Amino acid sequence: MQARRAARELALILFSQMDIMQNAQTCDFQDIVVKSVRTLTNSSIEDLNAVSKEILAIKGFISNYEANHPKNLKRPIEVSDKPVEIPMTDEMQKKLDDLLDIAERTMLALEIAEMTALEENSEVKKYIKRITKDFIAHKKEIDEQIKQLAQGWDINRLVKMDKDILRIAICELLFVKAAPVKVVIDEAVELAKKYSTEDSASFVNGILAKVVLQNDLK
């Protein structure tokens, strides 16, 4: 995983804690990053626990299906069940897809935690700090951009996650200016897909496209 992608995910967690954001210039930034990593890993542990329960449920379903299959109901009780074919239903496929998705997110979270912990002055920490400081310095301008471009939406009523994703991306586009425009937008859309609602990805993409156009970004 690229360091800046990891930094964006941690920044999103950090931005969700606005009380920390207000004091980010005076408090221990290392402590903020550690808390953000801990939040990410704790969420991953919860996901893994949920995955374990789902896997046990699927295992139970398979065992019951095998035991109650007509081929095995005819067999003597003392004889082991014969393996049987299991129809792959849409519901089962969806459950497996969900489990794979959670497993992938968990692996990424652990990778982010490892990247952040390996170096005291890692690129991940430096980039989070850069985004945070630039956001604090330009918060009013960034929120004004969102307010102007999100026509028909009250900025105070936007989904919190969407607003924070937009804040990070606009901060990068207008003030940090360390990554290509397309990369910033693509990764903001991916964060929306991963952490927010079904409609968030297209909403975030649309607002950022307007930011690029309005500010003549290349």
Side-chain angles (χ1 to χ4, degrees):
M1 173 183 280
Q2 295 178 353
R4 287 177 183 172
R5 181 179 300 175
R8 291 180 185 102
E9 292 220 20
L10 288 176
L12 185 57
I13 296 171
L14 191 154
F15 272 47
S16 70
Q17 306 171 59
M18 290 307 293
D19 55 330
I20 291 178
M21 289 297 300
Q22 298 299 330
N23 301 305
Q25 289 178 320
T26 57
C27 67
D28 183 352
F29 191 79
Q30 172 66 17
D31 184 55
I32 295 175
V33 174
V34 169
K35 286 178 180 177
S36 297
V37 170
R38 190 172 293 133
T39 298
L40 188 62
T41 53
N42 285 343
S43 176
S44 297
I45 290 170
E46 291 176 6
D47 284 344
L48 282 176
N49 287 333
V51 167
S52 296
K53 289 179 182 178
E54 285 293 330
I55 290 174
L56 286 173
I58 292 173
K59 185 178 179 182
F61 169 83
I62 292 172
S63 296
N64 289 331
Y65 184 89
E66 183 181 64
N68 294 312
H69 194 277
K71 288 182 180 179
N72 287 315
L73 288 175
K74 296 176 182 179
R75 295 171 63 78
I77 295 176
E78 67 276 7
V79 178
S80 299
D81 289 334
K82 273 188 172 182
V84 297
E85 292 183 1
I86 298 177
M88 185 62 78
T89 64
D90 289 345
E91 184 179 352
M92 183 74 75
Q93 287 185 25
K94 185 179 185 308
K95 279 189 177 182
L96 292 173
D97 286 341
D98 289 343
L99 294 179
L100 289 170
D101 183 55
I102 292 171
E104 183 179 354
R105 291 205 311 265
T106 301
M107 286 188 288
L108 289 173
L110 294 174
E111 191 175 346
I112 290 171
E114 181 183 21
M115 288 180 69
T116 307
L118 281 177
E119 299 179 46
E120 178 62 29
N121 295 310
S122 68
E123 187 179 346
V124 175
K125 292 177 184 175
K126 288 178 180 177
Y127 204 65
I128 297 172
K129 196 166 187 175
R130 191 169 175 184
I131 292 172
T132 303
K133 285 188 172 182
D134 280 348
F135 174 73
I136 291 171
H138 302 283
K139 181 178 182 298
K140 289 184 179 179
E141 298 164 68
I142 291 168
D143 282 353
E144 186 60 33
Q145 285 265 322
I146 298 172
K147 185 177 180 180
Q148 287 178 1
L149 299 176
Q151 294 180 2
W153 294 82
D154 181 347
I155 188 172
N156 295 317
R157 294 187 178 182
L158 286 180
V159 175
K160 176 83 167 63
M161 194 66 71
D162 292 355
K163 183 159 61 175
D164 288 339
I165 290 170
L166 286 171
R167 282 169 163 171
I168 291 168
I170 293 172
C171 184
E172 284 193 84
L173 290 171
L174 300 185
F175 304 107
V176 178
K177 298 181 178 180
V181 169
K182 187 177 186 306
V183 170
V184 173
I185 295 176
D186 286 349
E187 297 206 357
V189 169
E190 288 304 312
L191 285 175
K193 288 178 181 177
K194 182 174 178 180
Y195 290 110
S196 199
T197 67
E198 290 183 3
D199 299 326
S200 294
S202 58
F203 172 72
V204 167
N205 187 61
I207 296 296
L208 294 179
K210 292 178 183 178
V211 170
V212 170
L213 194 61
Q214 181 167 294
N215 293 279
D216 194 26
L217 301 176
K218 303 294 185 181

